[in-house]
Structures are given as structure tokens and as C-alpha cells.
Amino acid sequence: MCGIIGIIGKGEVAPLLIEGLRRLEYRGYDSAGVATLVDGRIECRRAEGKLTNLEALLAREPVAGTIGIGHTRWATHGVPNEKNAHPHATDRVAVVHNGIIENFQALRAEVEERGHTLVSDTDTEVVAHLITLYLEDGKGTAEATCAALNRLEGAFALGIIFAGKPDLMIAARRGSPLAIGYGDGEMYLGSDALALAPLTREIMYLEDGDWAVITSDDATVFDAEHLGVTREVRLTAHSGATLGKGGYRHFMLKEIFEQPQVIGDTLHAYTNPKTRSVALPDLGFDAAETPAMTLVACGTSYYACMVAKCWLERLARIPVDVDVASEFRYRGAYMAEGGVALFVSQSGETADTLAALRYARDHGQHIVSVVNVPESTIARESDAVLQTYAGPEIGVASTKAFTTQLTVLACFAIATARARGAMDHDTETRLVDALAGIPARAAEVLNHDDTLRALAHQVAEARDVLYLGRGTSYPIALEGALKLKEISYIHAEGYAAGEMKHGPIALIDEDVPVIVIAPSDELFEKTASNMQEVVARGGRVIFFSDAKGVERLGALATTTVTLPEVDPFAAPILYAIPVQMLAYHTAVLKGTDVDQPRNLAKSVTVE
Ligand code: G6P
């Protein structure tokens, strides 16, 4: 995480750096800072907390300069305060960094031995000192940077400027993403093209191990072996338009309400309404010959994978392994030859997911990714990409990205089943019809906003909340609990309803709301029994079901939310929405920062 930006401009860069940082704040908001060159000297302005604090500082103490770098931080090493805020600088070099320098302690000891004094607790500051040390040894700027890069272990995207060099910025990438933007006599650097979109649409993505010497009219790129390389300059699809809330109080609410539209857009891309069938692009593998699939992701995207596992195993009769990327990448997973590995990521930049992808590629898997950002590193390193058409998601808690991921994965499951001869035409049309109905049903769910706002009062008072579900409702229970934790800071747990009796049932009393997610499906009666077990112990049930389910069991619940009846196949997409809305309204009642909850970041580019 952390966002970095750099500009060699014609006019003063500080306002542009701030605009870029605003578009990068989703990557972290523990502190922010900029460094520019004023009369050849490095000038820094840094502030703890959100970007608005830095803006206020710059209003009091403006900074000139036509070259500069900026940073928005998600703290890894060192508490979030001004001292640890980037840029980190010596009198000769200023650095912004996204990633983790794993050997920083050894390097720190080395530069301290050479008489340098470090003032922060970060892993980054040592980079500025190491380059300075090589400059002191008489090396040139590129040579000194190169020597320092050779010493770094870990992951990094770096933006570096040098005192007395108003037309030079050096960028380097290992692990963390970095893009270079081309302007008219100006050049830019950013963690992503979104940050640079108001400045330019001409983008060159650095590849892993690359570093670049950037001047006001060009960038010279070198690979990890320091050989000159050419990287393609492409036009980004990102728009430079301001990302507004469109009249909504929060981005998260806006994004929740966009779901009927974006699920529809995603279905439009992957289904044919005339033939009522799924129409995916060629993914470059024969599902009939595929021995197994592996689905890997993090956070909310992982829950999408859990739902997809149920769909794929049931419909396509294929063995599916599913794991969180941070575990998968290190567990020495066995991967069947000829298998397909599918990676799901809103950002397409999550460090663990990317590392898991590379592991799978090295183990002979065919790589498919489901991403919301088609220019992302995960997309670029995949054999085939299925894009989600959610549009930019700004709220840190994922909403519309999740339901569009589910939509894509539902289509993928149907296509896989058909290719394996495991699904007949009638079943396919029934399932595609069920998906086609989701946008309209989702709009009906949004009409329950008042009910869910009222319900939030019950949840907001709780210290712990339990979410229960079975089958594809189990990942939705997990997602409901995650959403609540993330934005309201209330402890919540999602549990497989049938597993509750092996532990969490001990938590049940009248103070713990138990949210039961139970569409009318073949597991309904099983979930009903588990709900009875909760009620028998004085538990307070909040029951999410359809009219049939509510008629059957609603009397047992303290509160019921009646959702539209849908084919069980499509139910998880629909039931994701009310759990998002409940978490949202609870967070609003608690007065938390809904769009930028504490300690979190939207794009997690450190492991
Ligand atoms: C962070 C975000 C989550 C997201 C997860 C995975 O934790 O806050 O909303 O689900 O990363 O991100 P990805 O971009 O890979 O889907």
C-alpha cells in the first residue's frame, strides 16, 4: 500500500502532487508528504493523518518548485506520525517508497557506522542515506541509485529526486507497482495510472525489477540486470474526471447503490440475452481437459472465490482448491499438471495475490484473473483476464467489486460446466435467466434501505455479532461479518451455521445479535435447525430470507428482512447487498469514517 507520485513539471508542482495524492489516498491515509526542489535545495512538507492535514500545512507554509515527489502512507514500520511520514530525505536525496525493505536494519547499521544519523523508525529512510553514501563516494546519481538498489531486499516502488538536479527523477520497482506518465515537456510517476489520469493518459508500466531515469521529456528504462529496455507506452482507460460522491453521503453508499447497474454491465459483457447463454472470451484452456482449479485471493475477493468453489464443484464437477493468497503462496501447494489457477482481485495489485499468481505460473498452471482494473499487474501477468465492470471503487470496504466478481464467477462456472459436458442447455438458460434477473432484484433490495437503517440500531449497540449461513450463504456470512468489522469496528464473526455448535454457540446470549442468512434453498431446513438452536439459548436472531423462508421461520426471529425470491444459484449475489447496507448504516450510527476506516487500505501492496 502507500501511494507515490512524482512530477517534473513546467509550473509549480505542489498543487498537482496533492491532486495526485488525493487519487491515491485509497492506498493509505496514515500520513502524507511532499518534497520539491527550491533553488536546488530539497524542501519537505509532511503531516500526520489524512491528506487534508498536509493541505492545511501547505496553505500555511507553501512550497515552490517545478519538480517534486509525494506520498500517502499506510504504516508498516514506525507509528503514523510526522517523523515517519515520507518523503525521507538527506540534504542530497529525497525518497518516497511503497513496500517493505526487509534488510533495513543491517543497512541502517552500515550507514550509521559511516556517520549518518537516521531520525525515523521507518524501513525507508535508509534508502535515502544509502544513495547519499554512494554519492559521497563519488558515484553519479544513476550509479549511486543503482548501487543502492542492488543492496535492497524486499519489495519497493521508489521515487527519488536529488538536490541540485531539477530535471531528474529516478524510479524503481520491485514487487510494488509503478507507472510513468508522459506529458508535453513534463513527466510523471505514480503508483497507478488513476493518480496520473488528470495529467496524462499516456502511461508506461514498469515491469518487475525495472528502474528508470526520468527527465522532463523522456524516461530511460533499465531492467533488473541494468540493461536498457523498451516498455510499451499505452493509453490508459482511466478518466481524469474528479471522482465524486454523486450526491451520496459516502462513496460506499454510492457504490452500494450502483450495484444494479454494474452487475447489469458485467452480465452484458459475459452473457448473450438472445440465446440466454454465457459468452466468455477465449480463455486459452480446454475446461474439458482441466484436472483441477485453484482459486486464490484476499479479503472480500477471497469470499467471492469461496462462493465460486461451490458453484464450480457442483455445476462443473471439477475439483477446486480455494485459499487466501498469504497462506497459499507459502504452503508449498501441490498443483496438478495442466490445472487452471484463478486469481480474483479488485485492484489487481494485491501483493500476496500477485505472489500466489507467480507461484502458480511457476508450477505450470494456466493463469486466469478476475480484476476490476484491467491495466493492473495481476491482469498483465495473466494468460487470460475476465474484467469486472464495477468502475472505480473508492470506498475502502469493497461492495460493488464483490457482487461483480460473483457475477463474473457465476458466468465462469456455467461456461466451465458447459465445456465439461456437465450442464445441459435448459439448465444453462435457467441459470442465465436467474442472473439476468439480479439487477432488478438488487434494485428491490435497495428499497429496503429504511428497514436496514432501523435494524442498524440493534446492531450498533452490540459488542459482538455472529453471522451464520450454509453453502453459498456461508461466504456471505463471512463477508457480512468482515464488512461490519471493517467499518463499524464491532467484533463480528461469520460461521458455517452447522459448525456453530462446535464453539461459537457458547457466545450466544441476548446481547449477541445472530444474523442468519437463509434464502429458500435445499439447505434451508438445515439452517433452520441451527437457528432453532440459537433461539433455544435465548439468542436474538435477525433473519435474512425470502417470503417463503420468512413465512416458515420468521416468527422465531426478533427481526426479519424479506428479500426477493431468486434462484438459489444467484442468491449469494443478491444477499451480499443487505449485509453491506446493514454494515454501512451501523457504521454511520457509530460515527466512524466509513470510506476510510482506521488502519485499513484499499490496495494492499505489501505482504
Ligand atoms: C483490502 C481491501 C479489501 C479487499 C482486499 C483484497 O483488504 O480493504 O476490500 O477485499 O484488500 O483486495 P483486492 O484488490 O485484491 O481485491
Side-chain angles (χ1 to χ4, degrees):
M1 28 262 266
C2 297
I4 72 178
I5 180 133
I7 301 175
I8 305 178
K10 290 178 187 156
E12 292 204 351
V13 289
L16 301 177
L17 291 171
I18 292 294
E19 175 56 25
L21 290 179
R22 189 169 294 117
R23 297 167 75 89
L24 286 170
E25 219 183 356
Y26 72 89
R27 303 174 78 92
Y29 31 81
D30 286 334
S31 65
V34 295
T36 65
L37 290 190
V38 181
D39 299 329
R41 271 181 302 102
I42 294 169
E43 278 276 339
C44 285
R45 298 285 184 277
R46 307 181 302 173
E48 179 182 336
K50 297 203 173 161
L51 189 60
T52 47
N53 298 348
L54 177 65
E55 286 180 274
L57 174 67
L58 282 167
R60 290 195 305 276
E61 298 173 29
V63 66
T66 57
I67 178 170
I69 49 180
H71 188 268
T72 178
R73 178 168 189 243
W74 186 85
T76 59
H77 293 64
V79 297
N81 57 18
E82 189 189 329
K83 181 183 75 173
N84 291 330
H86 300 216
H88 289 285
T90 64
D91 56 355
R92 301 184 71 169
V93 177
V95 170
V96 284
H97 169 219
N98 164 213
I100 294 176
I101 308 297
E102 288 170 358
N103 59 336
F104 79 99
Q105 266 155 335
L107 294 173
R108 189 177 173 126
E110 185 179 324
V111 299
E112 281 175 344
E113 209 162 283
R114 291 278 305 265
H116 284 240
T117 308
L118 278 71
V119 292
S120 79
D121 312 312
T122 65
D123 55 326
T124 303
E125 190 185 5
V126 75
V127 180
H129 284 268
L130 200 58
I131 299 172
T132 303
L133 206 129
Y134 288 122
L135 289 173
E136 286 167 357
D137 287 348
K139 293 189 195 304
T141 43
E143 207 191 342
T145 307
C146 204
L149 294 177
N150 286 341
R151 304 287 313 282
L152 304 182
E153 288 167 18
F156 51 80
L158 291 165
I160 309 161
I161 57 171
F162 302 85
K165 303 274 180 194
D167 193 26
L168 174 68
M169 183 158 57
I170 295 188
R173 156 173 199 197
R174 194 189 298 161
S176 311
L178 207 48
I180 293 175
Y182 287 73
D184 180 13
E186 302 196 334
M187 291 289 282
Y188 319 104
L189 178 69
S191 291
D192 62 26
L194 183 68
L196 303 183
L199 299 166
T200 183
R201 293 194 57 213
E202 284 178 47
I203 298 291
M204 177 174 69
Y205 289 98
L206 291 184
E207 291 186 11
D208 219 24
D210 283 357
W211 63 284
V213 176
I214 306 167
T215 61
S216 55
D217 53 15
D218 206 4
T220 313
V221 184
F222 304 90
D223 65 12
E225 269 71 53
H226 308 310
L227 300 170
V229 281
T230 310
R231 304 285 179 224
E232 186 193 346
V233 179
R234 47 176 106 186
L235 281 187
T236 175
H238 287 294
S239 152
T242 310
L243 302 165
K245 291 183 198 153
Y248 289 92
R249 185 166 169 196
H250 295 103
F251 279 110
M252 182 180 177
L253 189 62
K254 171 173 173 263
E255 289 159 4
I256 288 173
F257 273 76
E258 281 171 351
Q259 289 178 107
Q261 174 73 41
V262 295
I263 293 169
D265 292 347
T266 304
L267 281 172
H268 181 72
Y270 299 121
T271 57
N272 181 336
K274 272 202 200 121
T275 54
R276 295 157 69 203
S277 61
V278 165
L280 298 189
D282 181 10
L283 300 179
F285 70 94
D286 181 357
E289 300 296 324
T290 304
M293 287 187 179
T294 308
L295 274 46
V296 181
C298 298
T300 290
S301 301
Y302 168 64
Y303 297 145
C305 291
M306 285 180 71
V307 175
K309 174 182 163 77
C310 299
W311 284 333
L312 282 162
E313 289 190 333
R314 172 166 299 218
L315 299 174
R317 310 307 298 150
I318 185 165
V320 176
D321 185 17
V322 62
D323 205 350
V324 288
S326 55
E327 288 299 315
F328 175 82
R329 62 181 289 192
Y330 291 119
R331 77 171 152 90
Y334 168 77
M335 308 199 80
E337 209 185 310
V340 167
L342 189 137
F343 299 86
V344 179
S345 175
Q346 186 285 127
S347 63
E349 300 292 352
T350 302
D352 283 319
T353 309
L354 181 59
L357 179 154
R358 290 173 180 161
Y359 176 94
R361 192 183 54 207
D362 292 346
H363 287 76
Q365 302 297 292
H366 188 79
I367 309 292
V368 180
S369 62
V370 175
V371 295
N372 196 38
V373 183
E375 299 161 28
S376 59
T377 312
I378 288 177
R380 283 182 280 127
E381 294 199 13
S382 300
D383 297 315
V385 178
L386 291 168
Q387 187 187 342
T388 49
Y389 290 90
E393 191 181 63
I394 307 297
V396 165
S398 187
T399 52
K400 61 176 181 170
F402 180 58
T403 47
T404 53
Q405 285 167 352
L406 289 175
T407 305
V408 171
L409 291 166
C411 293
F412 178 74
I414 294 171
T416 307
R418 187 180 62 203
R420 291 172 70 82
M423 182 179 288
D424 59 29
H425 179 69
D426 287 353
T427 309
E428 178 167 358
T429 51
R430 175 174 64 78
L431 299 185
V432 171
D433 287 351
L435 292 175
I438 285 294
R441 302 289 88 73
E444 289 171 34
V445 173
L446 296 174
N447 288 334
H448 286 63
D449 199 40
D450 288 342
T451 317
L452 290 157
R453 189 181 299 127
L455 184 55
H457 285 272
Q458 285 183 41
V459 176
E461 287 163 10
R463 212 189 58 185
D464 307 287
V465 180
L466 211 51
Y467 286 73
L468 302 179
R470 277 178 181 259
T472 53
S473 296
Y474 168 41
I476 302 305
L478 291 167
E479 170 62 3
L482 178 66
K483 283 286 86 87
L484 192 71
K485 277 186 276 216
E486 279 182 306
I487 58 171
S488 77
Y489 315 146
I490 295 173
H491 171 246
E493 270 191 69
Y495 237 79
E499 187 67 10
M500 183 198 53
K501 53 188 167 296
H502 300 292
I505 201 162
L507 296 175
I508 296 208
D509 64 24
E510 63 283 3
D511 294 328
V512 181
V514 180
I515 296 174
V516 177
I517 297 161
S520 291
D521 58 17
E522 59 186 24
L523 294 171
F524 183 83
E525 289 305 328
K526 304 286 173 200
T527 310
S529 306
N530 304 131
M531 186 166 148
Q532 296 277 13
E533 290 155 13
V534 173
V535 174
R537 284 155 183 84
R540 229 175 350 122
V541 172
I542 298 170
F543 185 53
F544 284 41
S545 187
D546 46 36
K548 242 198 271 168
V550 170
E551 194 188 332
R552 163 91 176 72
L553 280 186
L556 286 178
T558 315
T559 312
T560 57
V561 179
T562 311
L563 298 165
E565 208 163 309
V566 287
D567 188 295
F569 171 67
I573 310 177
L574 194 72
Y575 279 65
I577 299 172
V579 298
Q580 297 164 352
M581 293 162 80
L582 181 59
Y584 171 79
H585 287 302
T586 307
V588 170
L589 281 177
K590 301 272 290 186
T592 60
D593 190 339
V594 172
D595 283 333
Q596 294 185 327
R598 68 183 182 204
N599 303 339
L600 298 178
K602 187 151 191 71
S603 180
V604 182
T605 53
V606 293
E607 66 170 291

